[in-house]
Amino acid sequence: MEQEQDSQIKVKVSDLTQYLICPRLVYFSARGHEQQGIAKGKERIESILLKELAFNLHTIRGMKDDEEDVKRVIEGIVDGVEWIYKEELKGVEKNFFEAVKTDFIRSQSMNVDEWLRKIRNENGLLKLEKTHGYEREHTMVSGKLGMSGSVDKLIRAGEEVIPCMIKTGKCPEYSVWKSDRVQLAAYAMLIEEEFGTTVKRGFVEYIRTAEFRESQIRRRDKALALQILKRVKRIKGGVFPEKGENAPCDNCVFEEMCETKKTLLSKLFSRR
Ligand code: SF4
């Protein structure tokens, strides 16, 4: 019975990532509360703009070292954002969006030298992208796992299928963050089911600082992804979870809701 109920609960790979930030985010989002991510306002729009730059590295790489040229290309990419991300930008005031965009273009053009140097430097991922191209936001659904996901870039290099994620946050000193390894492992499992192959590696593009990191897909990351998948299903099924160890409550849109729920629960238990 429990298994039957579990198979009806649909989980996205992004739910796993959310769980790793704080399990309660999964709970509130599953209950239909709007979740604009932990980042709010300016930070969120900047993330979208940066992500779009990452999808256009091939264009940016080809431009000349002319400040005006750089500005023009970045402007062109940024201008497309409001059409591509219409749903995500719903409710954002036009003037505010324009101000963030202008600020972004200015700062990107000013700090672009080091960034450009890095994206022109042929590293493993950029070489693969140049040779094989990539499919943007490839969506996969696994009935067996009860999980779906849309990987930012999917590279098909002959027999090899490689997932690649774009991250707009801070880059770790070495390798990739643990949450990124788990997310890559989840995509790897979806790819393996769809393409009937074994995924040995994935990449994370930390686009803010133009760091491109390769990560091996390890058994223990897959095991952790599966464990989290089960927990997410339980939360979506109605279980109110403990807050995450490093839950970023100060920046959370659910802060108030979370407090109320906690108080209600403690009252309920104290009556017993
Ligand atoms: S307020 Fe804190 S504990 Fe509650 S959902 Fe947000 S991050 Fe998690």
Side-chain angles (χ1 to χ4, degrees), residues 21-25 28 38 243-244 247-250 252-256 258:
I21 301 171
C22 173
R24 287 188 186 171
L25 292 174
F28 290 119
I38 283 291
K243 64 189 264 183
C249 303
D250 290 346
C252 181
V253 284
F254 298 133
E255 199 180 0
E256 227 172 275
C258 208

PDB file of all heavy atoms in Angstrom, residues 21-25 28 38 243-244 247-250 252-256 258, ligand 1:
ATOM      1  N   ILE A  21      19.025  21.876   0.927  1.00  0.00           N
ATOM      2  CA  ILE A  21      19.099  23.221   1.529  1.00  0.00           C
ATOM      3  C   ILE A  21      18.304  23.195   2.837  1.00  0.00           C
ATOM      4  O   ILE A  21      18.784  23.567   3.890  1.00  0.00           O
ATOM      5  CB  ILE A  21      18.527  24.298   0.572  1.00  0.00           C
ATOM      6  CG1 ILE A  21      19.302  24.316  -0.742  1.00  0.00           C
ATOM      7  CG2 ILE A  21      18.575  25.683   1.226  1.00  0.00           C
ATOM      8  CD1 ILE A  21      18.675  25.183  -1.819  1.00  0.00           C
ATOM      9  N   CYS A  22      17.079  22.721   2.771  1.00  0.00           N
ATOM     10  CA  CYS A  22      16.249  22.540   3.964  1.00  0.00           C
ATOM     11  C   CYS A  22      15.039  21.672   3.597  1.00  0.00           C
ATOM     12  O   CYS A  22      14.275  22.038   2.697  1.00  0.00           O
ATOM     13  CB  CYS A  22      15.790  23.890   4.503  1.00  0.00           C
ATOM     14  SG  CYS A  22      14.618  23.682   5.854  1.00  0.00           S
ATOM     15  N   PRO A  23      14.850  20.544   4.273  1.00  0.00           N
ATOM     16  CA  PRO A  23      13.733  19.643   3.938  1.00  0.00           C
ATOM     17  C   PRO A  23      12.373  20.326   4.012  1.00  0.00           C
ATOM     18  O   PRO A  23      11.452  19.955   3.284  1.00  0.00           O
ATOM     19  CB  PRO A  23      13.841  18.538   4.997  1.00  0.00           C
ATOM     20  CG  PRO A  23      15.274  18.565   5.410  1.00  0.00           C
ATOM     21  CD  PRO A  23      15.706  19.985   5.327  1.00  0.00           C
ATOM     22  N   ARG A  24      12.252  21.341   4.863  1.00  0.00           N
ATOM     23  CA  ARG A  24      10.937  22.001   4.986  1.00  0.00           C
ATOM     24  C   ARG A  24      10.574  22.802   3.739  1.00  0.00           C
ATOM     25  O   ARG A  24       9.404  23.064   3.491  1.00  0.00           O
ATOM     26  CB  ARG A  24      10.915  22.907   6.216  1.00  0.00           C
ATOM     27  CG  ARG A  24      10.847  22.105   7.488  1.00  0.00           C
ATOM     28  CD  ARG A  24      10.640  22.991   8.676  1.00  0.00           C
ATOM     29  NE  ARG A  24      10.731  22.217   9.891  1.00  0.00           N
ATOM     30  CZ  ARG A  24      10.758  22.727  11.099  1.00  0.00           C
ATOM     31  NH1 ARG A  24      10.700  24.038  11.252  1.00  0.00           N
ATOM     32  NH2 ARG A  24      10.841  21.951  12.154  1.00  0.00           N
ATOM     33  N   LEU A  25      11.570  23.183   2.961  1.00  0.00           N
ATOM     34  CA  LEU A  25      11.278  23.887   1.698  1.00  0.00           C
ATOM     35  C   LEU A  25      10.455  22.963   0.797  1.00  0.00           C
ATOM     36  O   LEU A  25       9.541  23.402   0.108  1.00  0.00           O
ATOM     37  CB  LEU A  25      12.570  24.282   0.982  1.00  0.00           C
ATOM     38  CG  LEU A  25      13.452  25.346   1.640  1.00  0.00           C
ATOM     39  CD1 LEU A  25      14.750  25.497   0.867  1.00  0.00           C
ATOM     40  CD2 LEU A  25      12.736  26.677   1.706  1.00  0.00           C
ATOM     41  N   PHE A  28       6.747  22.892   2.149  1.00  0.00           N
ATOM     42  CA  PHE A  28       5.915  24.061   1.826  1.00  0.00           C
ATOM     43  C   PHE A  28       5.663  24.167   0.316  1.00  0.00           C
ATOM     44  O   PHE A  28       4.558  24.482  -0.101  1.00  0.00           O
ATOM     45  CB  PHE A  28       6.545  25.348   2.360  1.00  0.00           C
ATOM     46  CG  PHE A  28       6.504  25.424   3.864  1.00  0.00           C
ATOM     47  CD1 PHE A  28       7.670  25.502   4.609  1.00  0.00           C
ATOM     48  CD2 PHE A  28       5.297  25.401   4.540  1.00  0.00           C
ATOM     49  CE1 PHE A  28       7.618  25.556   5.990  1.00  0.00           C
ATOM     50  CE2 PHE A  28       5.233  25.451   5.927  1.00  0.00           C
ATOM     51  CZ  PHE A  28       6.400  25.528   6.658  1.00  0.00           C
ATOM     52  N   ILE A  38      15.469  30.472  -2.516  1.00  0.00           N
ATOM     53  CA  ILE A  38      15.928  31.190  -1.334  1.00  0.00           C
ATOM     54  C   ILE A  38      16.303  32.616  -1.727  1.00  0.00           C
ATOM     55  O   ILE A  38      16.015  33.572  -1.031  1.00  0.00           O
ATOM     56  CB  ILE A  38      17.124  30.429  -0.709  1.00  0.00           C
ATOM     57  CG1 ILE A  38      16.596  29.217   0.067  1.00  0.00           C
ATOM     58  CG2 ILE A  38      17.942  31.309   0.196  1.00  0.00           C
ATOM     59  CD1 ILE A  38      15.829  29.540   1.312  1.00  0.00           C
ATOM     60  N   LYS A 243      13.929  20.828  10.414  1.00  0.00           N
ATOM     61  CA  LYS A 243      14.597  21.806   9.548  1.00  0.00           C
ATOM     62  C   LYS A 243      16.024  21.341   9.225  1.00  0.00           C
ATOM     63  O   LYS A 243      16.586  20.522   9.959  1.00  0.00           O
ATOM     64  CB  LYS A 243      14.598  23.195  10.180  1.00  0.00           C
ATOM     65  CG  LYS A 243      15.379  23.324  11.466  1.00  0.00           C
ATOM     66  CD  LYS A 243      15.118  24.655  12.084  1.00  0.00           C
ATOM     67  CE  LYS A 243      16.206  25.626  11.700  1.00  0.00           C
ATOM     68  NZ  LYS A 243      16.043  26.929  12.344  1.00  0.00           N
ATOM     69  N   GLY A 244      16.561  21.824   8.154  1.00  0.00           N
ATOM     70  CA  GLY A 244      17.914  21.438   7.754  1.00  0.00           C
ATOM     71  C   GLY A 244      18.953  21.972   8.731  1.00  0.00           C
ATOM     72  O   GLY A 244      18.736  22.998   9.368  1.00  0.00           O
ATOM     73  N   ALA A 247      19.919  25.389   7.673  1.00  0.00           N
ATOM     74  CA  ALA A 247      18.789  26.030   6.978  1.00  0.00           C
ATOM     75  C   ALA A 247      18.937  27.556   6.968  1.00  0.00           C
ATOM     76  O   ALA A 247      19.154  28.159   8.016  1.00  0.00           O
ATOM     77  CB  ALA A 247      17.490  25.641   7.672  1.00  0.00           C
ATOM     78  N   PRO A 248      18.862  28.147   5.788  1.00  0.00           N
ATOM     79  CA  PRO A 248      19.073  29.608   5.693  1.00  0.00           C
ATOM     80  C   PRO A 248      17.794  30.392   6.029  1.00  0.00           C
ATOM     81  O   PRO A 248      17.239  31.093   5.184  1.00  0.00           O
ATOM     82  CB  PRO A 248      19.484  29.784   4.226  1.00  0.00           C
ATOM     83  CG  PRO A 248      18.840  28.633   3.528  1.00  0.00           C
ATOM     84  CD  PRO A 248      18.636  27.525   4.496  1.00  0.00           C
ATOM     85  N   CYS A 249      17.326  30.257   7.267  1.00  0.00           N
ATOM     86  CA  CYS A 249      16.025  30.824   7.663  1.00  0.00           C
ATOM     87  C   CYS A 249      15.948  32.344   7.457  1.00  0.00           C
ATOM     88  O   CYS A 249      14.884  32.861   7.110  1.00  0.00           O
ATOM     89  CB  CYS A 249      15.716  30.487   9.109  1.00  0.00           C
ATOM     90  SG  CYS A 249      15.718  28.713   9.399  1.00  0.00           S
ATOM     91  N   ASP A 250      17.055  33.044   7.670  1.00  0.00           N
ATOM     92  CA  ASP A 250      17.006  34.511   7.583  1.00  0.00           C
ATOM     93  C   ASP A 250      16.599  35.012   6.194  1.00  0.00           C
ATOM     94  O   ASP A 250      16.048  36.088   6.058  1.00  0.00           O
ATOM     95  CB  ASP A 250      18.377  35.120   7.939  1.00  0.00           C
ATOM     96  CG  ASP A 250      18.645  34.942   9.413  1.00  0.00           C
ATOM     97  OD1 ASP A 250      17.680  34.620  10.140  1.00  0.00           O
ATOM     98  OD2 ASP A 250      19.809  35.092   9.822  1.00  0.00           O
ATOM     99  N   CYS A 252      14.654  33.207   4.075  1.00  0.00           N
ATOM    100  CA  CYS A 252      13.653  32.277   3.541  1.00  0.00           C
ATOM    101  C   CYS A 252      12.272  32.910   3.450  1.00  0.00           C
ATOM    102  O   CYS A 252      11.800  33.544   4.391  1.00  0.00           O
ATOM    103  CB  CYS A 252      13.607  31.037   4.412  1.00  0.00           C
ATOM    104  SG  CYS A 252      12.432  29.824   3.809  1.00  0.00           S
ATOM    105  N   VAL A 253      11.617  32.679   2.313  1.00  0.00           N
ATOM    106  CA  VAL A 253      10.271  33.238   2.112  1.00  0.00           C
ATOM    107  C   VAL A 253       9.237  32.532   3.002  1.00  0.00           C
ATOM    108  O   VAL A 253       8.131  33.020   3.168  1.00  0.00           O
ATOM    109  CB  VAL A 253       9.813  33.133   0.631  1.00  0.00           C
ATOM    110  CG1 VAL A 253      10.488  34.154  -0.217  1.00  0.00           C
ATOM    111  CG2 VAL A 253      10.029  31.736   0.081  1.00  0.00           C
ATOM    112  N   PHE A 254       9.584  31.381   3.567  1.00  0.00           N
ATOM    113  CA  PHE A 254       8.629  30.625   4.388  1.00  0.00           C
ATOM    114  C   PHE A 254       8.825  30.842   5.884  1.00  0.00           C
ATOM    115  O   PHE A 254       8.227  30.135   6.696  1.00  0.00           O
ATOM    116  CB  PHE A 254       8.757  29.118   4.102  1.00  0.00           C
ATOM    117  CG  PHE A 254       8.431  28.749   2.686  1.00  0.00           C
ATOM    118  CD1 PHE A 254       9.257  27.903   1.964  1.00  0.00           C
ATOM    119  CD2 PHE A 254       7.292  29.245   2.071  1.00  0.00           C
ATOM    120  CE1 PHE A 254       8.957  27.555   0.662  1.00  0.00           C
ATOM    121  CE2 PHE A 254       6.982  28.898   0.772  1.00  0.00           C
ATOM    122  CZ  PHE A 254       7.818  28.056   0.065  1.00  0.00           C
ATOM    123  N   GLU A 255       9.686  31.789   6.256  1.00  0.00           N
ATOM    124  CA  GLU A 255      10.058  31.941   7.667  1.00  0.00           C
ATOM    125  C   GLU A 255       8.829  32.007   8.588  1.00  0.00           C
ATOM    126  O   GLU A 255       8.733  31.278   9.571  1.00  0.00           O
ATOM    127  CB  GLU A 255      10.921  33.191   7.833  1.00  0.00           C
ATOM    128  CG  GLU A 255      11.699  33.150   9.129  1.00  0.00           C
ATOM    129  CD  GLU A 255      12.561  34.371   9.312  1.00  0.00           C
ATOM    130  OE1 GLU A 255      12.548  35.244   8.418  1.00  0.00           O
ATOM    131  OE2 GLU A 255      13.219  34.465  10.352  1.00  0.00           O
ATOM    132  N   GLU A 256       7.886  32.855   8.211  1.00  0.00           N
ATOM    133  CA  GLU A 256       6.705  33.047   9.053  1.00  0.00           C
ATOM    134  C   GLU A 256       5.864  31.767   9.134  1.00  0.00           C
ATOM    135  O   GLU A 256       5.477  31.322  10.205  1.00  0.00           O
ATOM    136  CB  GLU A 256       5.852  34.159   8.447  1.00  0.00           C
ATOM    137  CG  GLU A 256       5.394  35.175   9.478  1.00  0.00           C
ATOM    138  CD  GLU A 256       4.729  36.330   8.775  1.00  0.00           C
ATOM    139  OE1 GLU A 256       5.449  37.248   8.341  1.00  0.00           O
ATOM    140  OE2 GLU A 256       3.506  36.257   8.640  1.00  0.00           O
ATOM    141  N   CYS A 258       6.781  28.779   8.661  1.00  0.00           N
ATOM    142  CA  CYS A 258       7.534  27.740   9.348  1.00  0.00           C
ATOM    143  C   CYS A 258       7.354  27.880  10.854  1.00  0.00           C
ATOM    144  O   CYS A 258       7.120  26.905  11.554  1.00  0.00           O
ATOM    145  CB  CYS A 258       9.000  27.908   8.975  1.00  0.00           C
ATOM    146  SG  CYS A 258       9.933  26.414   9.033  1.00  0.00           S
TER     147      CYS A 258
HETATM  148  S1  SF4 B   1      12.299  29.119   7.563  1.00  0.00           S
HETATM  149 FE1  SF4 B   1      14.153  27.886   7.826  1.00  0.00          FE
HETATM  150  S2  SF4 B   1      13.417  25.883   8.509  1.00  0.00           S
HETATM  151 FE2  SF4 B   1      11.642  26.971   7.619  1.00  0.00          FE
HETATM  152  S3  SF4 B   1      11.567  26.339   5.489  1.00  0.00           S
HETATM  153 FE3  SF4 B   1      12.749  28.223   5.566  1.00  0.00          FE
HETATM  154  S4  SF4 B   1      14.886  27.568   5.720  1.00  0.00           S
HETATM  155 FE4  SF4 B   1      13.605  25.814   6.273  1.00  0.00          FE
END
